[in-house]
Amino acid sequence: MKRILVISDIHGEIEKFEKLLVETQYNAKQDQLILLGDYVDRGSNAKAVIEKVMQLKEEGAFVLKGNHEDMMIKALTTNEEKSWNHWVKRNGGNKTLYSYDFSESDIAVNKEDFEKPVLKSDILENHLKFIQELDHYIETEDYIFVHAGVEPTKPVAESEPYTLMWIRNEFHNGYNGEKTVVFGHTETKTLHGDEENCNVYFGSNRIIGIDGGAVYGGQLNCLELPSQHVYVVKE
């Protein structure tokens, strides 16, 4: 493989995702594509993004699970009101379900007596099975690829999957390992401390954050390794 290309936090932005793959001139036979999770929620076409991700995985891409996939799985495979509301009402899961042609009334619940809606969709079931089987990290000789980060005091192989999908400040401030960690999850403008800066964040402690906040009007970033060249799509 000539290049490693890393993308994270697509959040239903299928047009930006496809433009970015064109911008990078991605070639599955020559490049190793790594996707770090959060394909769904908040954006308008999670269904199309997952379909594209499934295709790319078939062609050789490595695909990881993000915290939004974690929320989606919990909401759709349990009958817990808390999990349902956390995903649908607070984290954009409603937009994901709309992309599968469910309406607002289809996903409405009774506030007095919770009962999860019955959602019939073979495509959704297939996509749910796909995201349930995704890995949580990739470790190579030089890098760790993960959605949110790693526990600073543990080998990544000993970390809890939940932590790998959700951790923030403890990792950002405390990591001091030998391998470079490439991650998404936390918008780079937060890491930069600058609301206008959506560019890839290169930390002094060998952490590289790539979530440009595309679904919030930011940008979708792709990090090329080992060159550390960055490709960007804003619209």
Side-chain angles (χ1 to χ4, degrees):
M1 292 293 175
K2 292 183 179 179
R3 305 181 297 171
I4 297 173
L5 300 172
V6 196
I7 303 172
S8 190
D9 295 82
I10 301 161
H11 285 297
E13 297 279 354
I14 186 62
E15 291 86 2
K16 289 179 182 175
F17 185 32
E18 290 183 331
K19 281 183 183 178
L20 191 56
L21 292 173
V22 171
E23 182 74 19
T24 63
Q25 298 184 341
Y26 169 61
N27 183 333
K29 294 180 180 178
Q30 296 185 355
D31 305 319
Q32 181 58 65
L33 179 64
I34 300 178
L35 305 175
L36 302 184
D38 280 10
Y39 313 109
V40 301
D41 300 345
R42 297 199 171 109
S44 63
N45 210 337
K47 173 186 169 184
V49 171
I50 294 184
E51 285 176 346
K52 183 67 176 180
V53 169
M54 291 171 75
Q55 173 203 326
L56 291 166
K57 190 172 188 293
E58 282 286 317
E59 295 170 357
F62 295 153
V63 179
L64 300 182
K65 185 188 297 182
N67 65 304
H68 279 262
E69 284 76 52
D70 185 45
M71 287 187 283
M72 181 177 176
I73 291 163
K74 287 176 180 173
L76 294 177
T77 62
T78 72
N79 197 38
E80 296 175 1
E81 183 175 10
K82 181 179 178 181
S83 295
W84 178 264
N85 289 338
H86 186 63
W87 181 54
V88 173
K89 295 183 178 180
R90 293 181 56 194
N91 286 285
N94 58 330
K95 295 284 188 69
T96 294
L97 292 173
Y98 297 157
S99 76
Y100 289 91
D101 297 323
F102 293 110
S103 67
E104 190 172 345
S105 61
D106 289 333
I107 65 174
V109 296
N110 189 328
K111 293 181 181 179
E112 303 300 323
D113 183 21
F114 175 77
E115 186 174 342
K116 190 174 75 176
V118 178
L119 303 174
K120 297 287 187 182
S121 167
D122 290 341
I123 296 173
L124 178 58
E125 285 296 319
N126 188 36
H127 288 185
L128 185 62
K129 183 175 184 293
F130 172 74
I131 64 172
Q132 283 177 294
E133 295 173 353
L134 295 177
D135 293 328
H136 295 96
Y137 72 92
I138 298 162
E139 185 173 17
T140 70
E141 188 174 331
D142 299 309
Y143 301 100
I144 296 170
F145 301 94
V146 65
H147 178 65
V150 301
E151 293 182 70
T153 58
K154 286 185 179 180
V156 64
E158 296 176 13
S159 296
E160 292 295 323
Y162 181 88
T163 302
L164 301 177
M165 293 183 290
W166 287 90
I167 197 169
R168 292 192 194 271
N169 293 341
E170 179 188 354
F171 158 65
H172 305 152
N173 300 324
Y175 180 75
N176 196 30
E178 293 182 3
K179 295 185 179 183
T180 298
V181 181
V182 183
F183 65 101
H185 186 54
T186 299
E187 287 184 70
T188 55
K189 67 180 185 181
T190 301
L191 298 166
H192 286 295
D194 179 353
E195 285 295 311
E196 301 300 318
N197 193 346
C198 299
N199 295 325
V200 168
Y201 172 81
F202 295 92
S204 60
N205 57 336
R206 289 176 296 283
I207 67 171
I208 304 178
I210 67 171
D211 175 9
V215 77
Y216 297 111
Q219 62 195 43
L220 194 61
N221 296 318
C222 176
L223 173 68
E224 177 184 301
L225 296 171
S227 69
Q228 296 194 350
H229 180 77
V230 176
Y231 301 88
V232 172
V233 167
K234 294 185 178 181
E235 298 295 338

